[in-house]
């Protein structure tokens, strides 16, 4: 990805602006859960905006996840993420983004991700989930029971809402080639035998709206579903070890 940034004088302005947003965000931490669907909607607007740099979306999703994860226990981290996300929210309301707007977004994203990654770890898909959530996903998959014959059509219908939302982010980072990856899961799940049970478990997980991270949060709530899909396709989901470690 090619980055370019605003002038030093503009950076000074942006720093003051973000500091103001961060201070305001600290007063709203008690309502953080209520803000998650709004942030998901703004990420959708960014993805659908003709001028928005789409390659940024995975890291904005990571920032939104840090807000979700840390609002209760570490407001300093959450408010830093919230400040950048407020900047994003205002930017995507514009009909057209100029080169200067994109420069501002580049700088805000780069600086905020760099600061938070130094505190919480790499800005990747796994970093969108807490250790307890990762353990919860592992337990969910391990406890899955094949109680009914696999019905491909019924499964496709049950995961359609999640797929529609993920498809909005198709072609972006960890959310690439959604349809092809789900087709691979479905093909594996149709094959009999315990060796294909993980595929059926993964699809069952995708179909559950109230899984470890509620799908009702919008795309931010699908980070666990994306991790399950990615874990299966990487051959990491099994019954003897955690799929994400």
């Amino acid at each position: 990805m090619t980055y370019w940034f605003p002038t030093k004088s503009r950076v000074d302005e942006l720093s003051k602006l973000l500091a103001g947003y961060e201070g305001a965000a600290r007063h709203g931490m008690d309502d953080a859960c209520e803000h998650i669907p709004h942030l998901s909607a703004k990420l959708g607007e960014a993805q659908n905006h003709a001028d928005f740099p789409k390659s940024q979306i995975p890291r904005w999703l990571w920032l939104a996840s840090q807000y979700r994860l840390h609002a209760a226990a570490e407001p300093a981290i959450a408010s830093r993420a919230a400040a950048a996300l407020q900047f994003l929210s205002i930017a995507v309301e514009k009909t057209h983004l100029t080169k200067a707007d994109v420069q501002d977004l580049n700088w805000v994203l780069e600086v905020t991700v760099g600061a938070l990654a130094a505190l919480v770890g790499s800005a990747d898909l796994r970093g969108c989930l807490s250790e307890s959530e990762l353990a919860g996903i592992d337990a969910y998959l391990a406890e899955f029971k094949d109680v009914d014959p696999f019905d491909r059509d019924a499964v496709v219908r049950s995961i359609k809402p999640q797929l529609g939302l993920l498809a909005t982010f198709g072609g972006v980072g960890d959310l690439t080639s959604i349809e092809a990856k789900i087709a691979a899961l479905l093909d594996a799940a149709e094959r009999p035998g315990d060796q294909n049970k993980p595929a059926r478990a993964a699809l069952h997980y995708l179909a559950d709206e109230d899984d470890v991270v509620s799908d009702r949060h919008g795309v931010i709530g699908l980070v666990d579903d994306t991790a399950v899909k990615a874990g299966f396709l990487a051959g990491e989901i099994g019954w003897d070890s955690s799929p994400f470690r």
Side-chain angles (χ1 to χ4, degrees), residues 50-69:
D51 300 323
F52 194 88
K54 306 302 188 293
S55 57
Q56 290 185 359
I57 297 290
R59 295 198 299 165
W60 285 109
L61 179 58
W62 181 84
L63 282 180
S65 296
Q66 303 319 302
Y67 176 76
R68 179 185 68 81
L69 289 170

Side-chain angles (χ1 to χ4, degrees), residues 1-140:
M1 183 191 306
T2 301
Y3 283 97
W4 63 99
F5 301 102
T7 63
K8 175 64 168 61
S9 60
R10 179 57 178 161
V11 164
D12 290 341
E13 293 175 7
L14 290 171
S15 297
K16 293 177 182 177
L17 186 64
L18 289 177
Y21 290 161
E22 186 174 346
R26 285 178 182 262
H27 298 293
M29 289 295 110
D30 291 342
D31 300 321
C33 287
E34 297 176 11
H35 298 157
I36 300 302
H38 170 76
L39 292 177
S40 283
K42 288 300 178 181
L43 288 171
E45 289 178 33
Q47 175 62 16
N48 292 321
H49 198 295
D51 300 323
F52 194 88
K54 306 302 188 293
S55 57
Q56 290 185 359
I57 297 290
R59 295 198 299 165
W60 285 109
L61 179 58
W62 181 84
L63 282 180
S65 296
Q66 303 319 302
Y67 176 76
R68 179 185 68 81
L69 289 170
H70 298 290
E74 297 179 273
I77 291 173
S79 60
R80 185 73 182 265
L85 291 161
Q86 175 66 12
F87 190 86
L88 168 74
S89 297
I90 293 171
V92 296
E93 290 175 0
K94 297 180 180 180
T95 302
H96 174 65
L97 293 178
T98 66
K99 178 180 177 180
D101 291 326
V102 175
Q103 288 175 335
D104 288 351
L105 285 164
N106 286 336
W107 184 84
V108 168
L109 181 63
E110 185 78 4
V111 168
T112 308
V113 169
L116 294 188
L119 299 173
V120 303
S122 299
D124 54 20
L125 178 59
R126 190 181 186 281
C128 294
L129 297 159
S130 69
E131 289 299 322
S132 62
E133 288 170 346
L134 291 167
I137 294 169
D138 193 36
Y140 185 112

Side-chain angles (χ1 to χ4, degrees), residues 177-201:
S177 306
I178 297 300
E179 291 184 2
K181 291 178 180 180
I182 294 299
L185 267 176
L186 289 164
D187 290 343
E190 280 190 305
R191 294 192 287 269
D194 286 347
Q195 68 272 27
N196 296 306
K197 184 177 175 182
R200 294 188 285 276

